[in-house]
Amino acid sequence: MSKDADVIIAGGGAAGFFAAAHMAEALPGIRIMILEKSGEVLAKVKISGGGRCNVTHAEFVPRELAIHYPRGQKELLGPFHTFCSGDTVQFFESRGVRLKTEEDGRMFPETDSSQTIIDCLLRETAQRGVQVLTGHAIREIQSAGNSWELVTAKGNFTCRKLLIATGSSPKMWNIIRRFGHSVVPPVPSLFTFHIKDPRLAGLMGLAARVSVRISGEKSTGVFEGPLLITHWGISGPAVLKLSAWAARELHDCNYKFSVEVNWLHQLTFEETIAVLKENKEIHGKKNILSSGPFDLPKRLWVKLAEASGIPAEMRWAEIRRELLEDLAGQLTKGVFRVEGKSTFKEEFVTAGGVDLKEIDFKTFGSKIHKGLFFAGEVLNIDAVTGGFNFQSAWTGGYIAAKAIISALSGKGNK
């Protein structure tokens, strides 16, 4: 087995295989090698979307796509004009893998199986001679003039161009630091909140469309979407968005903070007071706990009304202004104490990675070392759920591949 290659890709994940497929197709005969530390390639693709693989998102406008990235929004705007979600769809469908769009915009293979995506990428690389070596953990990377040397547990390898696509790997980040790149310390992103509160007790499985924010904080903004009450606290898209944008702040406070929930989504406190007063006038004889005026799960309405101090037998005509205000407060700005977090399913995402200031996003090449490229979550780029993290990997892999193709064919100087 030769240990020399034109291109070595560190990491056998989505970005690495996508880049390899494009390079091998554009330059037949090029020697490409993928080094994967584990015994299995494309492991994250396999578990994504509950085993269905959320390939991308049906947002085809680069500027609108970029807003889903708490870290990388500005840097990805240009790359998305080069390779966007529509290009991803075209890549897979031109190779016989049809995608479907679900109501929330997520795109999956029509087979509902991640193995379809894995088979496509394996087929594209295998039939063009890409060499895939598993069980090759990289211990060191060294620049050797116009080439690179990689020290692994199974020997040394050399290449002309190196693409690092190892995902969220603390060991690789340490290696990257040693040859001069800065790494933003990683912290978890996309997680659910642990809350023990009587207002949520017994409501597991209930969902509502809400807006949430960190109580007392304005910098991270307000996030809207479905919220799911779980046996440990709250989850759902609104919570995951908040966890992503506030990932570093929440890490710094050890995941002990307060979150403010507007259970009525966009209704303000004042608007809610007005609706409650109108309900009092129209339905004065009705019991409050059994006749809520909002589109909320009935059990949630009862819990919030009880938390406002409303007795079980009270009718609308009997409610005092103070209780109305307390109820409006519970509905639109209820504060819940968070005492910890849980990773969202198997789809662990990290905020952190190679500092984006050190990357040329026209090529995804290093500004420090010639012939070195990065793609995927090894960079300080991450997104909310919905196929956005994979789209960043496809885009980075494609652009890095094009830059390497250009350099190896004599058309570029990177």
Side-chain angles (χ1 to χ4, degrees), residues 109-154:
E110 285 188 345
T111 60
D112 276 330
S113 172
S114 58
Q115 195 61 44
T116 304
I117 302 300
I118 293 170
D119 290 345
C120 176
L121 294 172
L122 291 177
R123 185 170 58 248
E124 284 295 306
T125 49
Q127 69 187 11
R128 293 187 169 90
V130 175
Q131 193 173 4
V132 180
L133 301 178
T134 56
H136 279 66
I138 296 170
R139 293 175 172 174
E140 201 61 60
I141 297 174
Q142 297 165 350
S143 175
N146 292 324
S147 64
W148 292 90
E149 182 172 351
L150 288 78
V151 179
T152 81
K154 297 183 179 180

mmCIF file of all heavy atoms in Angstrom, residues 109-154:
data_model
loop_
_atom_site.group_PDB
_atom_site.id
_atom_site.type_symbol
_atom_site.label_atom_id
_atom_site.label_comp_id
_atom_site.label_asym_id
_atom_site.label_seq_id
_atom_site.Cartn_x
_atom_site.Cartn_y
_atom_site.Cartn_z
ATOM 1 N N PRO A 109 -33.853 11.669 1.981
ATOM 2 C CA PRO A 109 -33.995 10.782 0.825
ATOM 3 C C PRO A 109 -35.392 10.160 0.820
ATOM 4 O O PRO A 109 -35.963 9.910 1.887
ATOM 5 C CB PRO A 109 -32.903 9.731 1.036
ATOM 6 C CG PRO A 109 -32.600 9.761 2.506
ATOM 7 C CD PRO A 109 -32.819 11.179 2.933
ATOM 8 N N GLU A 110 -35.946 9.924 -0.365
ATOM 9 C CA GLU A 110 -37.291 9.349 -0.444
ATOM 10 C C GLU A 110 -37.359 7.983 0.224
ATOM 11 O O GLU A 110 -38.431 7.550 0.653
ATOM 12 C CB GLU A 110 -37.728 9.248 -1.910
ATOM 13 C CG GLU A 110 -38.110 10.581 -2.515
ATOM 14 C CD GLU A 110 -38.716 10.438 -3.895
ATOM 15 O OE1 GLU A 110 -38.571 9.341 -4.503
ATOM 16 O OE2 GLU A 110 -39.325 11.410 -4.367
ATOM 17 N N THR A 111 -36.226 7.317 0.326
ATOM 18 C CA THR A 111 -36.198 6.000 0.973
ATOM 19 C C THR A 111 -36.343 6.070 2.483
ATOM 20 O O THR A 111 -36.548 5.052 3.140
ATOM 21 C CB THR A 111 -34.866 5.295 0.670
ATOM 22 O OG1 THR A 111 -33.789 6.116 1.175
ATOM 23 C CG2 THR A 111 -34.681 5.069 -0.813
ATOM 24 N N ASP A 112 -36.210 7.295 3.051
ATOM 25 C CA ASP A 112 -36.217 7.479 4.509
ATOM 26 C C ASP A 112 -35.109 6.681 5.177
ATOM 27 O O ASP A 112 -35.243 6.247 6.328
ATOM 28 C CB ASP A 112 -37.565 7.093 5.126
ATOM 29 C CG ASP A 112 -38.572 8.236 5.048
ATOM 30 O OD1 ASP A 112 -38.129 9.405 5.076
ATOM 31 O OD2 ASP A 112 -39.775 7.967 4.947
ATOM 32 N N SER A 113 -34.007 6.480 4.463
ATOM 33 C CA SER A 113 -32.882 5.729 5.019
ATOM 34 C C SER A 113 -31.570 6.453 4.756
ATOM 35 O O SER A 113 -31.251 6.776 3.606
ATOM 36 C CB SER A 113 -32.821 4.328 4.408
ATOM 37 O OG SER A 113 -31.631 3.660 4.813
ATOM 38 N N SER A 114 -30.815 6.682 5.818
ATOM 39 C CA SER A 114 -29.509 7.325 5.663
ATOM 40 C C SER A 114 -28.554 6.448 4.862
ATOM 41 O O SER A 114 -27.601 6.952 4.255
ATOM 42 C CB SER A 114 -28.901 7.611 7.042
ATOM 43 O OG SER A 114 -28.782 6.422 7.793
ATOM 44 N N GLN A 115 -28.812 5.144 4.838
ATOM 45 C CA GLN A 115 -27.932 4.246 4.089
ATOM 46 C C GLN A 115 -27.922 4.590 2.599
ATOM 47 O O GLN A 115 -26.917 4.371 1.912
ATOM 48 C CB GLN A 115 -28.368 2.790 4.286
ATOM 49 C CG GLN A 115 -27.325 1.765 3.853
ATOM 50 C CD GLN A 115 -26.024 1.879 4.637
ATOM 51 O OE1 GLN A 115 -26.034 2.032 5.857
ATOM 52 N NE2 GLN A 115 -24.892 1.824 3.931
ATOM 53 N N THR A 116 -29.014 5.167 2.113
ATOM 54 C CA THR A 116 -29.074 5.592 0.713
ATOM 55 C C THR A 116 -28.024 6.658 0.423
ATOM 56 O O THR A 116 -27.354 6.623 -0.617
ATOM 57 C CB THR A 116 -30.479 6.144 0.398
ATOM 58 O OG1 THR A 116 -31.460 5.162 0.720
ATOM 59 C CG2 THR A 116 -30.604 6.511 -1.076
ATOM 60 N N ILE A 117 -27.864 7.599 1.337
ATOM 61 C CA ILE A 117 -26.863 8.654 1.174
ATOM 62 C C ILE A 117 -25.457 8.076 1.320
ATOM 63 O O ILE A 117 -24.548 8.397 0.545
ATOM 64 C CB ILE A 117 -27.091 9.780 2.211
ATOM 65 C CG1 ILE A 117 -28.505 10.363 2.065
ATOM 66 C CG2 ILE A 117 -26.045 10.866 2.075
ATOM 67 C CD1 ILE A 117 -28.803 10.971 0.706
ATOM 68 N N ILE A 118 -25.282 7.211 2.309
ATOM 69 C CA ILE A 118 -23.982 6.577 2.528
ATOM 70 C C ILE A 118 -23.567 5.772 1.296
ATOM 71 O O ILE A 118 -22.437 5.898 0.807
ATOM 72 C CB ILE A 118 -24.025 5.676 3.781
ATOM 73 C CG1 ILE A 118 -24.204 6.526 5.036
ATOM 74 C CG2 ILE A 118 -22.769 4.825 3.888
ATOM 75 C CD1 ILE A 118 -24.491 5.726 6.301
ATOM 76 N N ASP A 119 -24.487 4.981 0.768
ATOM 77 C CA ASP A 119 -24.176 4.156 -0.406
ATOM 78 C C ASP A 119 -23.792 5.020 -1.598
ATOM 79 O O ASP A 119 -22.881 4.675 -2.362
ATOM 80 C CB ASP A 119 -25.370 3.272 -0.760
ATOM 81 C CG ASP A 119 -25.615 2.163 0.254
ATOM 82 O OD1 ASP A 119 -24.697 1.895 1.066
ATOM 83 O OD2 ASP A 119 -26.713 1.582 0.250
ATOM 84 N N CYS A 120 -24.486 6.139 -1.765
ATOM 85 C CA CYS A 120 -24.172 7.048 -2.876
ATOM 86 C C CYS A 120 -22.747 7.577 -2.767
ATOM 87 O O CYS A 120 -21.977 7.547 -3.733
ATOM 88 C CB CYS A 120 -25.172 8.198 -2.899
ATOM 89 S SG CYS A 120 -24.823 9.467 -4.149
ATOM 90 N N LEU A 121 -22.364 8.056 -1.577
ATOM 91 C CA LEU A 121 -21.031 8.621 -1.386
ATOM 92 C C LEU A 121 -19.950 7.549 -1.494
ATOM 93 O O LEU A 121 -18.874 7.787 -2.069
ATOM 94 C CB LEU A 121 -20.958 9.334 -0.034
ATOM 95 C CG LEU A 121 -21.835 10.584 0.090
ATOM 96 C CD1 LEU A 121 -21.840 11.106 1.536
ATOM 97 C CD2 LEU A 121 -21.360 11.689 -0.854
ATOM 98 N N LEU A 122 -20.213 6.368 -0.953
ATOM 99 C CA LEU A 122 -19.240 5.272 -1.062
ATOM 100 C C LEU A 122 -19.059 4.846 -2.519
ATOM 101 O O LEU A 122 -17.938 4.586 -2.971
ATOM 102 C CB LEU A 122 -19.692 4.085 -0.216
ATOM 103 C CG LEU A 122 -19.649 4.258 1.308
ATOM 104 C CD1 LEU A 122 -20.208 3.020 2.006
ATOM 105 C CD2 LEU A 122 -18.236 4.544 1.788
ATOM 106 N N ARG A 123 -20.157 4.801 -3.237
ATOM 107 C CA ARG A 123 -20.099 4.400 -4.655
ATOM 108 C C ARG A 123 -19.320 5.442 -5.475
ATOM 109 O O ARG A 123 -18.465 5.090 -6.297
ATOM 110 C CB ARG A 123 -21.523 4.247 -5.190
ATOM 111 C CG ARG A 123 -21.617 3.720 -6.608
ATOM 112 C CD ARG A 123 -23.063 3.372 -6.941
ATOM 113 N NE ARG A 123 -23.974 4.508 -6.785
ATOM 114 C CZ ARG A 123 -24.918 4.586 -5.843
ATOM 115 N NH1 ARG A 123 -25.066 3.617 -4.957
ATOM 116 N NH2 ARG A 123 -25.694 5.644 -5.774
ATOM 117 N N GLU A 124 -19.597 6.722 -5.232
ATOM 118 C CA GLU A 124 -18.934 7.787 -5.983
ATOM 119 C C GLU A 124 -17.423 7.780 -5.775
ATOM 120 O O GLU A 124 -16.662 8.064 -6.693
ATOM 121 C CB GLU A 124 -19.505 9.149 -5.565
ATOM 122 C CG GLU A 124 -20.865 9.453 -6.127
ATOM 123 C CD GLU A 124 -20.847 9.594 -7.640
ATOM 124 O OE1 GLU A 124 -20.055 10.400 -8.158
ATOM 125 O OE2 GLU A 124 -21.610 8.860 -8.301
ATOM 126 N N THR A 125 -17.000 7.482 -4.561
ATOM 127 C CA THR A 125 -15.560 7.499 -4.275
ATOM 128 C C THR A 125 -14.892 6.186 -4.661
ATOM 129 O O THR A 125 -13.801 6.187 -5.235
ATOM 130 C CB THR A 125 -15.325 7.792 -2.783
ATOM 131 O OG1 THR A 125 -16.150 6.938 -1.972
ATOM 132 C CG2 THR A 125 -15.662 9.244 -2.458
ATOM 133 N N ALA A 126 -15.551 5.056 -4.416
ATOM 134 C CA ALA A 126 -14.939 3.754 -4.695
ATOM 135 C C ALA A 126 -14.717 3.543 -6.189
ATOM 136 O O ALA A 126 -13.650 3.076 -6.612
ATOM 137 C CB ALA A 126 -15.806 2.636 -4.130
ATOM 138 N N GLN A 127 -15.701 3.924 -6.990
ATOM 139 C CA GLN A 127 -15.575 3.662 -8.431
ATOM 140 C C GLN A 127 -14.551 4.565 -9.104
ATOM 141 O O GLN A 127 -14.146 4.302 -10.236
ATOM 142 C CB GLN A 127 -16.943 3.795 -9.118
ATOM 143 C CG GLN A 127 -17.492 5.209 -9.179
ATOM 144 C CD GLN A 127 -18.925 5.241 -9.728
ATOM 145 O OE1 GLN A 127 -19.567 4.201 -9.860
ATOM 146 N NE2 GLN A 127 -19.413 6.425 -10.058
ATOM 147 N N ARG A 128 -14.101 5.580 -8.383
ATOM 148 C CA ARG A 128 -13.073 6.466 -8.940
ATOM 149 C C ARG A 128 -11.731 6.305 -8.230
ATOM 150 O O ARG A 128 -10.852 7.144 -8.357
ATOM 151 C CB ARG A 128 -13.551 7.920 -8.874
ATOM 152 C CG ARG A 128 -14.741 8.174 -9.806
ATOM 153 C CD ARG A 128 -15.107 9.639 -9.871
ATOM 154 N NE ARG A 128 -16.065 9.872 -10.945
ATOM 155 C CZ ARG A 128 -17.386 9.823 -10.814
ATOM 156 N NH1 ARG A 128 -17.908 9.558 -9.614
ATOM 157 N NH2 ARG A 128 -18.189 10.031 -11.836
ATOM 158 N N GLY A 129 -11.625 5.250 -7.439
ATOM 159 C CA GLY A 129 -10.323 4.885 -6.897
ATOM 160 C C GLY A 129 -9.877 5.600 -5.644
ATOM 161 O O GLY A 129 -8.694 5.549 -5.283
ATOM 162 N N VAL A 130 -10.800 6.254 -4.942
ATOM 163 C CA VAL A 130 -10.425 6.895 -3.678
ATOM 164 C C VAL A 130 -10.119 5.811 -2.650
ATOM 165 O O VAL A 130 -10.901 4.877 -2.456
ATOM 166 C CB VAL A 130 -11.552 7.813 -3.166
ATOM 167 C CG1 VAL A 130 -11.199 8.376 -1.789
ATOM 168 C CG2 VAL A 130 -11.817 8.944 -4.154
ATOM 169 N N GLN A 131 -8.969 5.928 -2.006
ATOM 170 C CA GLN A 131 -8.556 4.935 -1.018
ATOM 171 C C GLN A 131 -9.057 5.355 0.365
ATOM 172 O O GLN A 131 -8.791 6.472 0.822
ATOM 173 C CB GLN A 131 -7.027 4.823 -1.009
ATOM 174 C CG GLN A 131 -6.505 3.617 -0.264
ATOM 175 C CD GLN A 131 -4.995 3.465 -0.441
ATOM 176 O OE1 GLN A 131 -4.341 4.302 -1.048
ATOM 177 N NE2 GLN A 131 -4.442 2.397 0.110
ATOM 178 N N VAL A 132 -9.799 4.496 1.034
ATOM 179 C CA VAL A 132 -10.368 4.791 2.358
ATOM 180 C C VAL A 132 -9.722 3.871 3.384
ATOM 181 O O VAL A 132 -9.809 2.647 3.280
ATOM 182 C CB VAL A 132 -11.895 4.601 2.355
ATOM 183 C CG1 VAL A 132 -12.464 4.908 3.744
ATOM 184 C CG2 VAL A 132 -12.550 5.488 1.300
ATOM 185 N N LEU A 133 -9.073 4.480 4.364
ATOM 186 C CA LEU A 133 -8.385 3.712 5.401
ATOM 187 C C LEU A 133 -9.010 4.024 6.757
ATOM 188 O O LEU A 133 -8.951 5.162 7.239
ATOM 189 C CB LEU A 133 -6.891 4.054 5.429
ATOM 190 C CG LEU A 133 -6.115 3.801 4.125
ATOM 191 C CD1 LEU A 133 -4.667 4.238 4.279
ATOM 192 C CD2 LEU A 133 -6.185 2.335 3.720
ATOM 193 N N THR A 134 -9.630 3.033 7.377
ATOM 194 C CA THR A 134 -10.206 3.219 8.705
ATOM 195 C C THR A 134 -9.184 2.789 9.762
ATOM 196 O O THR A 134 -8.191 2.126 9.463
ATOM 197 C CB THR A 134 -11.492 2.401 8.856
ATOM 198 O OG1 THR A 134 -11.216 1.026 8.588
ATOM 199 C CG2 THR A 134 -12.564 2.890 7.890
ATOM 200 N N GLY A 135 -9.450 3.168 11.006
ATOM 201 C CA GLY A 135 -8.550 2.826 12.103
ATOM 202 C C GLY A 135 -7.225 3.554 12.032
ATOM 203 O O GLY A 135 -6.239 3.115 12.618
ATOM 204 N N HIS A 136 -7.211 4.698 11.335
ATOM 205 C CA HIS A 136 -5.975 5.472 11.183
ATOM 206 C C HIS A 136 -6.116 6.799 11.945
ATOM 207 O O HIS A 136 -6.453 7.837 11.367
ATOM 208 C CB HIS A 136 -5.674 5.731 9.706
ATOM 209 C CG HIS A 136 -5.028 4.573 9.014
ATOM 210 N ND1 HIS A 136 -5.676 3.373 8.812
ATOM 211 C CD2 HIS A 136 -3.783 4.424 8.484
ATOM 212 C CE1 HIS A 136 -4.868 2.535 8.184
ATOM 213 N NE2 HIS A 136 -3.715 3.144 7.974
ATOM 214 N N ALA A 137 -5.899 6.746 13.240
ATOM 215 C CA ALA A 137 -5.942 7.960 14.059
ATOM 216 C C ALA A 137 -4.687 8.787 13.802
ATOM 217 O O ALA A 137 -3.564 8.282 13.886
ATOM 218 C CB ALA A 137 -6.040 7.588 15.531
ATOM 219 N N ILE A 138 -4.879 10.057 13.501
ATOM 220 C CA ILE A 138 -3.744 10.948 13.221
ATOM 221 C C ILE A 138 -3.164 11.460 14.536
ATOM 222 O O ILE A 138 -3.883 11.994 15.381
ATOM 223 C CB ILE A 138 -4.192 12.112 12.323
ATOM 224 C CG1 ILE A 138 -4.649 11.576 10.957
ATOM 225 C CG2 ILE A 138 -3.063 13.130 12.140
ATOM 226 C CD1 ILE A 138 -5.337 12.588 10.087
ATOM 227 N N ARG A 139 -1.860 11.296 14.688
ATOM 228 C CA ARG A 139 -1.189 11.724 15.917
ATOM 229 C C ARG A 139 -0.476 13.058 15.756
ATOM 230 O O ARG A 139 -0.294 13.802 16.720
ATOM 231 C CB ARG A 139 -0.177 10.657 16.342
ATOM 232 C CG ARG A 139 -0.819 9.338 16.784
ATOM 233 C CD ARG A 139 0.222 8.280 17.086
ATOM 234 N NE ARG A 139 -0.361 7.081 17.681
ATOM 235 C CZ ARG A 139 0.315 5.967 17.926
ATOM 236 N NH1 ARG A 139 1.619 5.909 17.615
ATOM 237 N NH2 ARG A 139 -0.283 4.926 18.467
ATOM 238 N N GLU A 140 -0.045 13.355 14.537
ATOM 239 C CA GLU A 140 0.688 14.601 14.302
ATOM 240 C C GLU A 140 0.607 14.956 12.827
ATOM 241 O O GLU A 140 0.479 14.082 11.965
ATOM 242 C CB GLU A 140 2.162 14.446 14.714
ATOM 243 C CG GLU A 140 2.877 15.760 14.993
ATOM 244 C CD GLU A 140 2.248 16.532 16.146
ATOM 245 O OE1 GLU A 140 2.194 16.028 17.282
ATOM 246 O OE2 GLU A 140 1.768 17.650 15.878
ATOM 247 N N ILE A 141 0.646 16.251 12.553
ATOM 248 C CA ILE A 141 0.690 16.756 11.177
ATOM 249 C C ILE A 141 1.861 17.726 11.076
ATOM 250 O O ILE A 141 2.003 18.623 11.909
ATOM 251 C CB ILE A 141 -0.622 17.469 10.794
ATOM 252 C CG1 ILE A 141 -1.792 16.483 10.834
ATOM 253 C CG2 ILE A 141 -0.509 18.103 9.404
ATOM 254 C CD1 ILE A 141 -3.147 17.135 10.617
ATOM 255 N N GLN A 142 2.670 17.540 10.059
ATOM 256 C CA GLN A 142 3.860 18.386 9.899
ATOM 257 C C GLN A 142 3.955 18.888 8.471
ATOM 258 O O GLN A 142 3.712 18.136 7.517
ATOM 259 C CB GLN A 142 5.122 17.586 10.252
ATOM 260 C CG GLN A 142 5.161 17.119 11.700
ATOM 261 C CD GLN A 142 6.206 16.054 11.957
ATOM 262 O OE1 GLN A 142 6.793 15.505 11.029
ATOM 263 N NE2 GLN A 142 6.434 15.741 13.230
ATOM 264 N N SER A 143 4.289 20.166 8.334
ATOM 265 C CA SER A 143 4.511 20.751 7.015
ATOM 266 C C SER A 143 5.933 20.429 6.572
ATOM 267 O O SER A 143 6.883 20.605 7.323
ATOM 268 C CB SER A 143 4.304 22.269 7.073
ATOM 269 O OG SER A 143 4.618 22.855 5.841
ATOM 270 N N ALA A 144 6.059 19.938 5.325
ATOM 271 C CA ALA A 144 7.384 19.580 4.795
ATOM 272 C C ALA A 144 7.568 20.261 3.448
ATOM 273 O O ALA A 144 7.411 19.661 2.379
ATOM 274 C CB ALA A 144 7.505 18.074 4.651
ATOM 275 N N GLY A 145 7.845 21.556 3.486
ATOM 276 C CA GLY A 145 8.007 22.322 2.247
ATOM 277 C C GLY A 145 6.685 22.442 1.515
ATOM 278 O O GLY A 145 5.741 23.041 2.013
ATOM 279 N N ASN A 146 6.599 21.864 0.337
ATOM 280 C CA ASN A 146 5.369 21.910 -0.454
ATOM 281 C C ASN A 146 4.488 20.687 -0.241
ATOM 282 O O ASN A 146 3.593 20.412 -1.043
ATOM 283 C CB ASN A 146 5.712 22.037 -1.949
ATOM 284 C CG ASN A 146 6.336 23.381 -2.267
ATOM 285 O OD1 ASN A 146 5.967 24.400 -1.682
ATOM 286 N ND2 ASN A 146 7.288 23.386 -3.183
ATOM 287 N N SER A 147 4.748 19.944 0.810
ATOM 288 C CA SER A 147 3.945 18.754 1.083
ATOM 289 C C SER A 147 3.635 18.675 2.575
ATOM 290 O O SER A 147 4.113 19.474 3.371
ATOM 291 C CB SER A 147 4.684 17.488 0.623
ATOM 292 O OG SER A 147 5.870 17.311 1.379
ATOM 293 N N TRP A 148 2.818 17.682 2.908
ATOM 294 C CA TRP A 148 2.425 17.467 4.290
ATOM 295 C C TRP A 148 2.730 16.035 4.700
ATOM 296 O O TRP A 148 2.601 15.114 3.890
ATOM 297 C CB TRP A 148 0.913 17.717 4.460
ATOM 298 C CG TRP A 148 0.545 19.149 4.276
ATOM 299 C CD1 TRP A 148 0.202 19.762 3.105
ATOM 300 C CD2 TRP A 148 0.508 20.154 5.283
ATOM 301 N NE1 TRP A 148 -0.052 21.094 3.322
ATOM 302 C CE2 TRP A 148 0.132 21.365 4.652
ATOM 303 C CE3 TRP A 148 0.757 20.161 6.655
ATOM 304 C CZ2 TRP A 148 -0.004 22.558 5.351
ATOM 305 C CZ3 TRP A 148 0.621 21.349 7.356
ATOM 306 C CH2 TRP A 148 0.247 22.529 6.707
ATOM 307 N N GLU A 149 3.139 15.884 5.945
ATOM 308 C CA GLU A 149 3.369 14.549 6.484
ATOM 309 C C GLU A 149 2.437 14.329 7.665
ATOM 310 O O GLU A 149 2.338 15.168 8.566
ATOM 311 C CB GLU A 149 4.819 14.360 6.931
ATOM 312 C CG GLU A 149 5.095 12.945 7.445
ATOM 313 C CD GLU A 149 6.563 12.677 7.714
ATOM 314 O OE1 GLU A 149 7.392 13.517 7.340
ATOM 315 O OE2 GLU A 149 6.872 11.617 8.308
ATOM 316 N N LEU A 150 1.742 13.191 7.637
ATOM 317 C CA LEU A 150 0.814 12.842 8.703
ATOM 318 C C LEU A 150 1.325 11.606 9.417
ATOM 319 O O LEU A 150 1.611 10.588 8.776
ATOM 320 C CB LEU A 150 -0.583 12.567 8.147
ATOM 321 C CG LEU A 150 -1.385 13.780 7.653
ATOM 322 C CD1 LEU A 150 -0.911 14.241 6.285
ATOM 323 C CD2 LEU A 150 -2.868 13.457 7.618
ATOM 324 N N VAL A 151 1.445 11.716 10.718
ATOM 325 C CA VAL A 151 1.881 10.593 11.549
ATOM 326 C C VAL A 151 0.629 9.939 12.127
ATOM 327 O O VAL A 151 -0.168 10.581 12.809
ATOM 328 C CB VAL A 151 2.812 11.072 12.683
ATOM 329 C CG1 VAL A 151 3.237 9.898 13.554
ATOM 330 C CG2 VAL A 151 4.018 11.806 12.111
ATOM 331 N N THR A 152 0.452 8.645 11.838
ATOM 332 C CA THR A 152 -0.709 7.928 12.357
ATOM 333 C C THR A 152 -0.251 6.725 13.169
ATOM 334 O O THR A 152 0.937 6.385 13.200
ATOM 335 C CB THR A 152 -1.636 7.433 11.223
ATOM 336 O OG1 THR A 152 -1.099 6.228 10.671
ATOM 337 C CG2 THR A 152 -1.785 8.472 10.135
ATOM 338 N N ALA A 153 -1.212 6.074 13.794
ATOM 339 C CA ALA A 153 -0.913 4.879 14.583
ATOM 340 C C ALA A 153 -0.427 3.736 13.703
ATOM 341 O O ALA A 153 0.148 2.770 14.196
ATOM 342 C CB ALA A 153 -2.169 4.453 15.350
ATOM 343 N N LYS A 154 -0.646 3.852 12.394
ATOM 344 C CA LYS A 154 -0.255 2.781 11.477
ATOM 345 C C LYS A 154 0.758 3.247 10.435
ATOM 346 O O LYS A 154 0.780 2.739 9.318
ATOM 347 C CB LYS A 154 -1.504 2.211 10.797
ATOM 348 C CG LYS A 154 -2.475 1.565 11.779
ATOM 349 C CD LYS A 154 -3.657 0.938 11.067
ATOM 350 C CE LYS A 154 -4.599 0.264 12.064
ATOM 351 N NZ LYS A 154 -5.762 -0.349 11.390
#
